[in-house]
């Protein structure tokens, strides 16, 4: 961790004694890659961070909220989404020796867990986890977004209520083909009659 990074949070004011707590507020510019496939916190946009840091036996429990601008695309109608969201955070950052103890016990997940480094916490992975946990994988412009007209691909929200396309109507089509069939049979019948008539003449 680069200790000069704005995302390196110093723990010097947090006593290591279990139960100690400090609150920490900051406004930071969002790092790159706070994103899911269809929604993201734009790089450089303002993050309003409001955290509580608590010393626990295993490390430092980081909790609180991050207010962030969110940009994306509706998964149904594909129109742009712009929003502001308050993302919840709750993450244990281990003391290195505590994490090592868990790894030694065979806890494979602990290997990936964040650790306190040189009395600092790296906020970037915590922010990334908050985004991944809080933002929807399929974002919607509104809860009941009706999506796109399947025929012309225009969002229903931008079409008039009476928007229709000429649709294939199976009932009408069956009647039409019956009429064609009857006509054909009729003319066949006429042909038959005339053939018979000719035969009679012979
Ligand atoms: Zn939509
Ligand atoms: Zn349409």
């Amino acid at each position: 961790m680069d200790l000069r990074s704005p995302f390196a949070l110093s723990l010097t004011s947090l006593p290591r004694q279990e139960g100690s707590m400090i609150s920490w507020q900051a406004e930071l510019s969002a790092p790159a890659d706070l994103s899911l496939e269809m929604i993201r916190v734009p790089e450089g946009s303002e993050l309003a961070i409001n955290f509580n840091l608590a010393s626990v036996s295993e490390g430092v429990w980081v909790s609180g909220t991050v207010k962030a601008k969110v940009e994306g695309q509706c998964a149904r109608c594909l129109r742009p989404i712009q929003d502001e969201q308050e993302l919840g955070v709750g993450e244990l950052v281990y003391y290195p020796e505590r994490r090592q103890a868990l790894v030694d016990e065979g806890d494979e997940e602990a290997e990936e867990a964040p650790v306190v480094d040189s009395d600092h916490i790296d906020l970037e992975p915590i922010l990334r986890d908050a985004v991944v946990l809080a933002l929807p994988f399929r974002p919607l412009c509104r809860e009941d977004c009706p999506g796109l007209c399947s025929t012309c691909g225009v969002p229903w929200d931008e079409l008039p209520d009476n928007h229709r396309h000429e649709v294939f109507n199976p009932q009408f089509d069956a009647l039409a083909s019956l009429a064609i069939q009857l006509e054909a049979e009729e003319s066949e019948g006429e042909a038959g009659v005339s053939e018979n008539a000719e035969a009679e003449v012979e």
Side-chain angles (χ1 to χ4, degrees), residues 97-153:
E97 68 278 10
R98 302 301 298 173
R99 185 178 75 168
Q100 194 52 49
L102 290 174
V103 171
D104 292 345
E105 286 166 22
D107 185 339
E108 283 175 22
E109 271 179 41
E111 282 178 53
E112 305 292 316
V115 276
V116 174
D117 178 1
S118 319
D119 225 16
H120 283 71
I121 283 176
D122 185 1
L123 290 176
E124 274 199 68
I126 294 178
L127 294 171
R128 216 155 266 139
D129 284 353
V131 162
V132 170
L133 289 174
L135 294 186
F137 194 67
R138 285 176 51 82
L140 297 176
C141 62
R142 58 186 174 92
E143 195 97 345
D144 54 352
C145 168
L148 303 171
C149 169
S150 58
T151 307
C152 64

Side-chain angles (χ1 to χ4, degrees), residues 56-85:
V56 295
S57 60
E58 302 289 302
V60 177
W61 175 252
V62 181
S63 61
T65 58
V66 181
K67 247 189 230 155
K69 193 174 157 193
V70 169
E71 274 179 9
Q73 206 181 12
C74 175
R76 283 192 202 142
C77 71
L78 308 179
R79 289 186 302 168
I81 296 174
Q82 281 198 328
D83 199 6
E84 199 181 69
Q85 288 210 8

Side-chain angles (χ1 to χ4, degrees), residues 23-105:
S23 66
W24 184 76
Q25 283 86 28
E27 279 172 10
L28 295 176
S29 295
D33 305 324
L34 288 186
S35 61
L36 298 179
E37 201 175 331
M38 298 190 85
I39 197 157
R40 73 203 63 80
V41 175
E43 183 178 356
S45 64
E46 189 185 281
L47 302 175
I49 299 178
N50 192 355
F51 281 175
N52 284 313
L53 311 174
S55 290
V56 295
S57 60
E58 302 289 302
V60 177
W61 175 252
V62 181
S63 61
T65 58
V66 181
K67 247 189 230 155
K69 193 174 157 193
V70 169
E71 274 179 9
Q73 206 181 12
C74 175
R76 283 192 202 142
C77 71
L78 308 179
R79 289 186 302 168
I81 296 174
Q82 281 198 328
D83 199 6
E84 199 181 69
Q85 288 210 8
E86 200 168 64
L87 313 173
V89 169
E91 190 141 343
L92 178 61
V93 183
Y94 286 91
Y95 295 128
E97 68 278 10
R98 302 301 298 173
R99 185 178 75 168
Q100 194 52 49
L102 290 174
V103 171
D104 292 345
E105 286 166 22

